[in-house]
Amino acid sequence: MRSRAARTAILIIGALAVLVGGVWIGQGAGLIKGSFMTGSPTWLAIGLLCLVVGVFLIFLAVRRRPSG
């Protein structure tokens, strides 16, 4: 990733994935009520996967300084 704009985009996408994953984990675990996802282990697993992908994207965005 050489472009500063690409790094920023990846960072934002990663942060959004972490936030969405956290909400899905909360719903799947039954901590956030009021949805068809509440208490569903499927959404807990999907949330964990989304969270991991988000953390990985954030890691990719911040591991190196932009060139140029």
Side-chain angles (χ1 to χ4, degrees), residues 1-26:
M1 235 180 312
R2 297 179 186 195
S3 162
R4 184 178 202 100
R7 295 168 69 79
T8 302
I10 295 293
L11 185 62
I12 290 170
I13 292 168
L16 288 174
V18 167
L19 290 174
V20 169
V23 170
W24 288 346
I25 289 168

Side-chain angles (χ1 to χ4, degrees), residues 17 21 24-25 42-56:
W24 288 346
I25 289 168
T42 301
W43 286 102
L44 179 65
I46 292 169
L48 284 170
L49 179 65
C50 189
L51 184 88
V52 168
V53 168
V55 169
F56 178 71

